[in-house]
Amino acid sequence: MSLNQGEARRLIRGLTRGTTIPDGVRFIHVGYESWLSAQHEVLEELPDYNGSETKFVKGHYGMGKTHFLHLVQEEGRNRNWVTAHLECQRDEVEIDRFETLYPKICMKLRFPHSDECPELKDRSDPMVTLIESWVSVVNNSAGVRDQALRRPVDAASRVYKELQKRLLTPKLTSDFKEALIALTMASLKNDIDTKNLLYGWFKGEDRKIQVPEDYLRQPDGLRTADRGK
C-alpha cells in the first residue's frame, strides 16, 4: 500500500490535532513491537481452527489505544480479514446491548486490501456483498453455476448438501443457519423479495420476517437419493 500526497497531508494534520486516522497509520507508527507481534500471531493462527479471540486494550487518554487498534485493523485487512472499527459514543453503541452493536458493525465493515478478493469490490453495502460472496462460494463448491437454470432440482440438492457440510459448526445459532440456508436457496430461484428480507435480517433490522418453508426443507431430489441408499 502506497501513500499519496493527499493522504500524507491528512496524516500530518491528524498529528497536529492529536488524533489518528485509520488509513496509512503504519506510515507514522513507531513502537509497540511486542504487542503488534502478539496480535499478528493471533491473526495468523485463528483461521487454522476457525476460532475467535477477545482482547482488551487498556490505557489512559492519549496513550495511543485508537492508534494501536488501527494498526491491528490494517494488519488484518492486509491478511484478507474483514474488519470494523466502532467507537461507543460516536457510533451510539452500548457495548452490553448487542442490538445496538451488531447493526453498526454491519454498516462499518471494511474489506481486505488484497486483490485476491475481487468478489468484495462492491463497497456500497458491505454486509450484502459479504453474504453474496459466501453464497457464491457455496454454489461453486457444489458445482452449481448456470446449470441451476437447466436442472434446478439437481442444483438445489447439491447446494443443500454443501450447506449441510458448511453449517455443522455449533458456533452458529439455529436462526443464523436457517437464514443462510434460506438465502442460498432463494438465490437459486432468483427470489429477490425473500433475499431482500433476509439481507435486512442479516444487517440487524429490527423486524421479524418469514421465509417460505420450502427453502428450509431438504430438496425432493436429495430425499429420493437418500432413500435409495
Side-chain angles (χ1 to χ4, degrees), residues 91-229:
D91 294 307
E92 299 180 343
V93 166
E94 297 177 47
I95 200 70
D96 59 340
R97 294 183 60 200
F98 190 69
E99 67 272 18
T100 70
L101 179 63
Y102 177 78
K104 293 297 176 69
I105 291 176
C106 295
M107 289 172 57
K108 302 194 74 172
L109 291 176
R110 303 191 74 196
F111 292 141
H113 293 303
S114 173
D115 291 333
E116 295 176 18
C117 305
E119 68 276 11
L120 298 179
K121 290 298 184 185
D122 182 4
R123 311 294 166 101
S124 58
D125 197 334
M127 191 60 178
V128 171
T129 300
L130 191 62
I131 295 170
E132 283 288 338
S133 172
W134 187 86
V135 170
S136 178
V137 168
V138 170
N139 287 338
N140 288 337
S141 296
V144 173
R145 294 176 181 83
D146 59 344
Q147 301 99 308
L149 298 176
R150 297 195 296 269
R151 302 177 62 187
V153 175
D154 177 62
S157 298
R158 282 185 283 152
V159 168
Y160 191 86
K161 287 183 73 172
E162 183 65 25
L163 286 167
Q164 294 297 95
K165 286 193 298 183
R166 289 177 176 270
L167 299 178
L168 282 175
T169 172
K171 296 180 180 180
L172 297 177
T173 66
S174 58
D175 284 347
F176 200 86
K177 291 178 182 179
E178 288 184 354
L180 286 172
I181 292 171
L183 179 62
T184 307
M185 304 310 283
S187 296
L188 278 180
K189 295 189 176 183
N190 199 27
D191 182 348
I192 303 299
D193 291 338
T194 298
K195 287 172 64 176
N196 286 336
L197 282 175
L198 286 162
Y199 288 147
W201 187 87
F202 277 113
K203 290 189 287 186
E205 292 180 1
D206 186 18
R207 57 174 173 167
K208 292 186 179 296
I209 64 170
Q210 286 187 323
V211 298
E213 291 185 6
D214 286 350
Y215 290 154
L216 301 176
R217 293 196 188 110
Q218 188 170 282
D220 289 337
L222 188 56
R223 286 199 292 269
T224 302
D226 287 343
R227 283 198 297 270
K229 293 178 183 178

Side-chain angles (χ1 to χ4, degrees), residues 18-71:
T19 60
T20 184
I21 62 174
D23 295 320
V25 67
R26 65 187 178 91
F27 292 103
I28 55 172
H29 169 73
V30 291
Y32 295 138
E33 281 82 5
S34 60
W35 289 11
L36 288 171
S37 177
Q39 299 314 306
H40 295 173
E41 187 175 328
V42 170
L43 291 172
E44 186 76 29
E45 293 177 352
L46 282 177
D48 293 339
Y49 59 95
N50 197 26
S52 62
E53 291 276 350
T54 300
K55 304 290 185 183
F56 292 92
V57 180
K58 185 178 180 180
H60 295 295
Y61 181 81
M63 290 187 67
K65 299 184 298 297
T66 302
H67 178 87
F68 175 75
L69 292 172
H70 284 326
L71 283 167

Side-chain angles (χ1 to χ4, degrees), residues 73 76-77 80-84 109-112 120 126 130:
Q73 183 178 24
R77 294 178 70 202
N80 290 339
W81 285 79
V82 177
T83 68
L109 291 176
R110 303 191 74 196
F111 292 141
L120 298 179
L130 191 62

